[in-house]
Amino acid sequence: MYPTRFGLPVAAALVTALLPGAAMAQVSDDVVKIGVLTDMNGPASAPTGQGSVTAAQMAIDDFGGTVLGKPIRVVIGDHQLKADIGASLARRWYDVEQVDLIVDVPVSAVGLAVQNVANEKKRLFITHSTGTADFHGKFCSPYAIQWVFDTRALAVGTADAVVKRGGDSWFFITDDYAFGHSLERDASAVVTANGGKVLGSVRPPLATPDLSSFVLQAQASKAKIIGIAAGPPNNMNEIKTGSEFGVFKGGQQMAALLALITDIHGLGLQAAQGLLLTTSFYWDMDDKTREWSKRYFAKLNKMPSMWQAGVYSSVMHYLNAIKETGTDDPLKVAAKMREKPIEDFFARNGKLREDNLMVRAGPANSDSSLSGFSA
């Protein structure tokens, strides 16, 4: 007969400890909470906002609503594009509400502030709508993941192709904050590396109401390409103003280093004609993108942006990693996310690199966080 401890055979006790049920106890707070920290009503709300919340909830519903026998819940926060509000919400979520993962977070200044809190609290953060390469560069962190794109990918995807087709002189209109600076820096490096020239730049603040003077300076530069190193709302307002001022008719082109499907719809065909851009996701690319996007459309009556589609993809990958590791421990989950390939409607042949940048491997064995769709 086996020796006993507290009336239970030791061998049986050991077997019980190894059963799957033991892993279930490793879910902190008996619930997996995902916080969508976004812009609900401001200039970034169309490509993020409620659409990002819907995408996260779709992933949870498709996963089954529970993981390791524990419920999965979404919490929503509006950072109003302000770094202090974003950091304050993140700190409260991690400390008080026991949020396990924060996603989305448009505008790099807010994203970097949230990343600092994630590092401090040792919790996970996946950014989708902030592109500065500093996330996985000088501010690289085991707790912060960049899923949809970075400024280097945008620069390579757009600037490289444009210079090679003859657009060898550039003038930048750059948003005066971390994302814009990073985008101009990376695109300028690509332009000069390919033998092109950067003739200058101007830097309007975010959400500048009248961009006329900045567009006129770019037009006067006589650069073949006016690079729009900006996000919403400046990027589309600059393109619209350029169209009104006859930039395209005068022989110059505008290259939007960041443009989303919501932006193009807002511009309309007349203003968008001749615009060059690269995106990491397009709803009508193939059967897989169409199938998911039509389900999304049924909920919001609009097609998803690349950021919203990326939220779904990353949340699903995160939940699968929890399931396979048997815990929601941040570093163990992140390690599993890096180990497993990413193959879904959003990312084909994707992987999470050691620096926590999600990339898609291209045909020439090169990594890019963009899918290669361009228009």
Side-chain angles (χ1 to χ4, degrees), residues 46-48 50-52 54-56 58 259-263 265 279-285 288-313 345-346:
T48 62
Q50 181 57 48
S52 294
T54 297
M58 284 177 66
L260 300 129
I261 188 171
T262 49
D263 299 326
H265 290 165
T279 183
S280 63
F281 172 81
Y282 179 54
W283 75 267
D284 201 23
M285 188 176 75
K288 286 185 176 180
T289 58
R290 283 188 288 272
E291 188 277 331
W292 183 83
S293 298
K294 287 176 180 177
R295 291 201 295 124
Y296 177 96
F297 185 90
K299 296 179 180 296
L300 289 180
N301 202 36
K302 65 177 183 178
M303 287 302 178
S305 71
M306 64 178 182
W307 296 338
Q308 292 157 343
V311 167
Y312 178 100
S313 174
F345 73 91
F346 180 80

Side-chain angles (χ1 to χ4, degrees), residues 3 9 16 31 84 101 140 190 261 286 298:
T16 301
V31 61
D84 57 339
L101 168 69
C140 183
V190 173
I261 188 171
D286 59 23

Side-chain angles (χ1 to χ4, degrees), residues 47-83:
T48 62
Q50 181 57 48
S52 294
V53 176
T54 297
Q57 189 62 56
M58 284 177 66
I60 292 168
D61 293 343
D62 288 349
F63 192 80
T66 64
V67 60
L68 301 178
K70 307 298 182 182
I72 310 164
R73 295 176 185 160
V74 169
V75 295
I76 305 165
D78 184 355
H79 59 54
Q80 302 172 48
L81 303 184
K82 295 178 180 178

